[in-house]
Amino acid sequence: MKIKRFFLLFFAVIAVGVCSASSEKEDLTKYVNQWIGTGGHGHVFLGANVPFGFVQLGPTQYTRGWDWCSGYHISDSLLVGFGHMHLSGTGIGDLGDVALLPVSNTMQHDVAFSHDNENVSTGYYSVKLNNPNVLVELTATKRVGMHRYSFGGNEESGLIRLNLKQGIGWDNWADSKITQEGPTTLSGYRRSRGWARDQIVYFVAEFSVPITNELQQGDSIAVYRVSDISKPLLVKVALSPVSVENAKLNMQTEMSGWNFNAAVASARAAWNDELSKIRIKTDDNEKKTIFYTAMYHTMIAPSVFCDVNGDYRGADYKVHNGNYTNYTTFSLWDTYRAAYPLMTIIHPEKQKDLAETFINIYRQQGKLPVWHLMGNETDCMVGNPGIAVLADMTLKGFVNDKEAAFEALKASAMCDDRGLNLLKEYGYLPYDKDSTFETVAKGLEYALADDGVAKVAKMLGKQKDYKYFYDRSRAYKRYFDKQCGFMRGVGSDGKFREPFDPFNAVHRQDDYTEGNAWQYVWLVPHDVHGLVDLFGSEQRFISKFDSLFVISGDMGSEASPDISGLIGQYAHGNEPSHHILYMYNYVGQPYKAAPLLRRTMSELYFNDYDGLSGNEDVGQMSAWYILSSVGIYQVEPSGGKFVIGSPLFDEACLNVGNGKTFTVKTVGNSDKNIYVQSARLNGKPYTKSYIMFNDIMRGGVLELQMGSKPSKWGVKKSDRP
């Protein structure tokens, strides 16, 4: 059953960017359905925000398990507050900071609600509560959240609960302070220890009418009585990672007035501008909804993590000031695969600031980010994904100081933590020397990261470094067992771990990370041809590869719930599989990828609460869909080569910056005509089954003739990636 879309009646009054006959004027926000991913294991954020904003203002529920990582799940109908910070699509919960909640008495600490009374669109969220009888409406700027509370006629007084104690998931309150500075002003801070090991956020809250304190529980919870509820109460809450004074400056700069409808319109306009980075042409509005919701999901994070004056809290917990936009929320093990390559195309203007953020994190903590959250290194997941992302940005020309970037890349690859000391000693990660398991996954991830270091070294003429990291990037071969054709755990004696079952998976307690041997044998995106050679012949590789999508086996009761979205043993619901379908192009069989790509896009992405095959993972699941539905995907993490797949749309026009667009057009495209027959780039015949990043960024048109049967396009070795 498809989701009923909720639209606001008052949009007719406050709408920005009215629809017109021109596709370039169309309001694309109407296709965003935030409900997608609020069910199942999607873990997405629901609420009001602007693209890449620090503030994610929305409803927060009690944490009842893994599916409440974002603070909200469609199965629940009890609220504990409207918090100003949330994560989207993660596998661990945190944040929920600075929550307000209308209550009917001073002892009430949660409120029941019905999903039938919720309305949501880009930059806006509302819910009608019954006890108390209040219509809650929310909107936001990058650093400020705005609430509008309309009290029902049967309400004699208005009470608002401020909760600095409540958090989401792993979050644990450590310290806080609430100060009433005047009749309408509150300020303070909240410190917590959770996934982000030492997080602090400062706030200032301005009320449109005077308030009085009715209940104070330490410096973490307070209830305030509103002096006048005859008209809607407005509350503005500004956040800062640095100080109350900076929070006030953020509010003064971003939301000095009290016009709620204008704030909604501004947020909506900001979303429409960003969604317009890709305009698709299709008669299928369901596909438009899935596509633009995916676009929306990719722009919730990374989040701005600095004040309007440039101040930010660094990874060394000190306050810094920079003449750039500092960011946070880097789910890099997930997002290096598609989300960041997508950003290099449609958000080129953000790349220098992102690169500067990465380099400064290295300077402050001694290595590039692994999974950075609110200035804290969580060290979550395996490998060195920050290396892959910074190397990609450097190779694509977005980094001015390439020597500084290389210093960060090399130093991060030469650390001694997270098993890197063993890699330097043995040339691989022996399972009997690493007490944290997952050595195959770690080793393969380190290899693809080292490939990025090697490529940057080569670009800078550092031959010694190039050779060292190139050799390390080929260390993936040490895990390959030619007898069975799988990557396996290897001991310090050079022998493979026994017993071995390629199907079985034990979450965080075996040689793989959220996967099994069937999924991990393909994790060599930086050297696909080298992997093919390990099988002894191209045909042997293809035979094994074909079987991946049809074979089935028991993964066991202790397998990770992340192993989802299965087609055979291909697990689209988890990121290590995301490049796999495109490997067919490397062996001259793009026609085998086409039906699998179409099946994945049609069966594992749909317009429903459970419309994702796994966690959204801070934009990665959606980024895969965006690139694949457009018809291109970057397999090699660092390098800029985009493999051509099977586009869904008649046309996709990408705004690549500097006034240029790159358009992918299809001729004869349909649900049956899924195979590329021939191609033309800027009017000239194009036989390669991939396209380089620089060709995309120069702008132009890639035209693909589609047909119902496989063709010989992209088959020749000279045409393969």
Side-chain angles (χ1 to χ4, degrees):
M1 179 179 179
K2 293 170 184 157
I3 302 172
K4 172 185 175 184
R5 292 196 185 93
F6 297 88
F7 294 99
L8 305 176
L9 294 177
F10 66 82
F11 269 175
V13 178
I14 67 171
V16 172
V18 180
C19 295
S20 70
S22 169
S23 63
E24 293 189 3
K25 301 286 186 180
E26 185 178 11
D27 180 7
L28 299 176
T29 63
K30 66 185 179 182
Y31 297 112
V32 174
N33 186 352
Q34 284 195 55
W35 300 108
I36 295 175
T38 58
H41 302 315
H43 299 183
V44 301
F45 162 72
L46 180 81
N49 63 338
V50 295
F52 309 105
F54 181 47
V55 166
Q56 316 286 344
L57 175 56
T60 304
Q61 302 164 340
Y62 288 111
T63 297
R64 303 185 189 276
W66 188 54
D67 284 326
W68 277 259
C69 287
S70 72
Y72 183 97
H73 195 268
I74 196 65
S75 64
D76 203 350
S77 57
L78 199 64
L79 297 177
V80 296
F82 299 98
H84 289 77
M85 300 174 73
H86 292 81
L87 293 169
S88 186
T90 59
I92 298 175
D94 204 337
L95 308 183
D97 302 73
V98 191
L100 297 178
L101 182 69
V103 290
S104 58
N105 60 74
T106 57
M107 301 311 294
Q108 184 179 6
H109 48 76
D110 52 37
V111 176
F113 73 103
S114 169
H115 295 296
D116 291 337
N117 293 329
E118 288 183 288
N119 286 307
V120 64
S121 64
T122 52
Y124 176 88
Y125 169 88
S126 75
V127 61
K128 179 68 166 59
L129 305 177
N130 292 324
N131 182 29
N133 181 10
V134 180
L135 173 63
V136 175
E137 298 174 279
L138 309 174
T139 191
T141 64
K142 286 184 178 179
R143 301 169 178 87
V144 186
M146 193 176 198
H147 307 236
R148 181 163 68 182
Y149 300 142
S150 300
F151 295 86
N154 61 333
E155 291 294 323
E156 297 181 358
S157 64
L159 295 174
I160 305 297
R161 177 184 173 92
L162 171 62
N163 190 347
L164 302 184
K165 197 100 174 187
Q166 183 74 39
I168 297 170
W170 288 21
D171 176 276
N172 289 292
W173 173 86
D175 182 29
S176 59
K177 186 172 182 60
I178 304 171
T179 300
Q180 184 159 358
E181 296 188 4
T184 61
T185 305
L186 303 174
S187 65
Y189 68 84
R190 179 180 191 267
R191 191 168 214 138
S192 58
R193 304 188 190 281
W195 193 13
R197 285 172 281 193
D198 187 5
Q199 182 213 346
I200 188 166
V201 60
Y202 296 86
F203 72 93
V204 61
E206 288 282 352
F207 291 75
S208 58
V209 297
I211 57 172
T212 56
N213 186 286
E214 292 289 312
L215 174 72
Q216 188 82 26
Q217 295 180 343
D219 261 329
S220 59
I221 297 174
V223 179
Y224 298 91
R225 186 175 299 278
V226 180
S227 62
D228 181 7
I229 62 170
S230 63
K231 56 186 177 182
L233 169 69
L234 295 172
V235 188
K236 299 184 294 185
V237 180
L239 303 184
S240 164
V242 172
S243 66
V244 168
E245 290 71 24
N246 276 15
K248 292 177 179 178
L249 180 61
N250 291 340
M251 183 182 292
Q252 178 185 345
T253 304
E254 293 189 356
M255 195 179 282
S256 59
W258 293 93
N259 191 327
F260 184 88
N261 286 359
V264 174
S266 179
R268 184 178 173 91
W271 276 113
N272 201 45
D273 286 346
E274 295 293 350
L275 295 171
S276 299
K277 295 287 184 71
I278 304 180
R279 291 188 173 272
I280 59 172
K281 183 178 179 182
T282 177
D283 294 329
D284 190 333
N285 282 339
E286 284 293 296
K287 288 179 181 175
K288 278 189 176 181
T289 296
I290 296 167
F291 182 86
Y292 284 109
T293 304
M295 285 282 285
Y296 169 83
H297 283 150
T298 66
M299 294 184 281
I300 294 175
S303 305
V304 166
F305 192 59
C306 61
D307 297 319
V308 293
N309 63 359
D311 289 350
Y312 68 93
R313 187 171 298 277
D316 55 3
Y317 304 107
K318 297 177 182 177
V319 174
H320 299 264
N321 183 274
N323 58 353
Y324 70 100
T325 300
N326 190 67
Y327 287 93
T328 190
T329 317
F330 296 124
S331 179
L332 296 171
W333 182 82
D334 307 290
T335 53
Y336 82 78
R337 306 167 200 268
Y340 279 93
L342 172 65
M343 286 187 72
T344 62
I345 296 176
I346 64 172
H347 303 298
E349 75 284 353
K350 289 181 168 53
Q351 299 306 303
K352 289 184 179 179
D353 285 347
L354 285 167
E356 191 73 15
T357 299
F358 275 46
I359 292 170
N360 281 326
I361 288 174
Y362 152 69
R363 290 168 175 161
Q364 293 156 11
Q365 70 176 24
K367 66 181 181 182
L368 287 168
V370 178
W371 210 126
H372 235 251
L373 178 59
M374 302 301 155
N376 287 258
E377 181 57 76
T378 70
D379 277 323
C380 190
M381 307 311 291
V382 300
N384 255 331
I387 287 179
V389 174
L390 182 58
D392 193 43
M393 288 190 284
T394 305
L395 292 165
K396 288 176 177 175
F398 291 116
V399 180
N400 290 330
D401 192 343
K402 294 179 176 58
E403 289 292 341
F406 183 75
E407 177 190 330
L409 293 167
K410 180 178 178 179
S412 301
M414 295 301 289
C415 286
D416 286 331
D417 65 341
R418 307 172 71 246
L420 283 167
N421 59 322
L422 297 173
L423 178 61
K424 289 187 289 186
E425 180 180 354
Y426 288 89
Y428 64 97
L429 297 178
Y431 70 80
D432 55 333
K433 297 293 184 179
D434 191 325
S435 60
T436 58
F437 296 98
E438 304 177 312
T439 54
V440 172
K442 288 180 188 175
L444 298 179
E445 293 281 359
Y446 283 143
L448 65 86
D450 287 338
D451 182 72
V453 185
K455 287 176 177 175
V456 175
K458 185 177 183 180
M459 181 180 69
L460 296 177
K462 300 179 183 291
Q463 291 302 318
K464 185 177 179 180
D465 288 320
Y466 166 69
K467 184 180 186 310
Y468 174 77
F469 286 106
Y470 176 86
D471 290 343
R472 266 189 28 174
S473 74
R474 271 54 185 174
Y476 70 86
K477 299 176 182 180
R478 300 291 296 271
Y479 309 98
F480 188 76
D481 182 355
K482 293 186 177 181
Q483 297 299 315
C484 63
F486 288 106
M487 300 288 181
R488 298 179 55 184
V490 185
S492 56
D493 59 1
K495 296 179 180 179
F496 293 112
R497 185 201 290 266
E498 298 290 353
F500 173 66
D501 180 349
F503 293 99
N504 191 62
V506 180
H507 186 52
R508 309 307 301 268
Q509 298 289 317
D510 61 15
D511 296 319
Y512 312 99
T513 299
E514 299 175 358
N516 63 18
W518 268 105
Q519 288 132 28
Y520 268 90
V521 67
W522 320 108
L523 190 58
V524 190
H526 62 292
D527 187 26
V528 178
H529 295 296
L531 177 62
V532 172
D533 291 341
L534 287 181
F535 281 86
S537 73
E538 194 171 88
Q539 189 51 52
R540 287 179 182 172
F541 172 88
I542 292 171
S543 178
K544 181 89 167 191
F545 198 52
D546 288 344
S547 64
L548 171 68
F549 306 103
V550 295
I551 198 165
S552 62
D554 185 8
M555 287 187 286
S557 61
E558 297 180 83
S560 169
D562 293 285
I563 309 174
S564 59
L566 291 171
I567 300 176
Q569 285 295 294
Y570 170 75
H572 188 75
N574 211 22
E575 282 67 25
S577 290
H578 276 193
H579 68 288
I580 287 177
L581 300 182
Y582 292 94
M583 294 173 76
Y584 270 122
N585 288 48
Y586 286 76
V587 290
Q589 296 187 340
Y591 52 85
K592 285 187 178 178
L596 290 166
L597 287 166
R598 291 295 184 102
R599 179 180 174 185
T600 303
M601 286 185 273
S602 64
E603 293 183 5
L604 300 180
Y605 295 85
F606 46 95
N607 184 21
D608 205 342
Y609 300 115
D610 189 12
L612 298 169
S613 62
N615 302 349
E616 171 55 36
D617 283 312
V618 198
Q620 170 59 27
M621 197 64 63
S622 288
W624 185 95
Y625 181 86
I626 292 166
L627 287 170
S628 295
S629 64
V630 166
I632 55 176
Y633 191 88
Q634 181 172 306
V635 171
E636 300 165 36
S638 306
K641 190 182 294 179
F642 285 79
V643 178
I644 298 171
S646 181
L648 283 185
F649 310 119
D650 300 331
E651 181 176 307
C653 182
L654 288 69
N655 183 340
V656 298
N658 295 318
K660 298 177 181 179
T661 60
F662 178 77
T663 302
V664 180
K665 287 185 177 181
T666 59
V667 179
N669 198 9
S670 70
D671 290 341
K672 292 183 178 180
N673 293 352
I674 65 175
Y675 302 98
V676 177
Q677 306 294 301
S678 62
R680 300 181 72 85
L681 180 61
N682 299 326
K684 297 179 180 179
Y686 191 77
T687 58
K688 298 185 183 301
S689 68
Y690 65 94
I691 185 169
M692 298 303 295
F693 174 77
N694 288 338
D695 290 327
I696 294 172
M697 301 306 285
R698 275 192 282 266
V701 178
L702 175 65
E703 185 178 286
L704 304 175
Q705 181 72 47
M706 308 300 289
S708 61
K709 295 181 180 180
S711 74
K712 293 186 178 181
W713 175 84
V715 171
K716 292 182 180 179
K717 285 194 174 183
S718 58
D719 292 329
R720 304 174 188 179

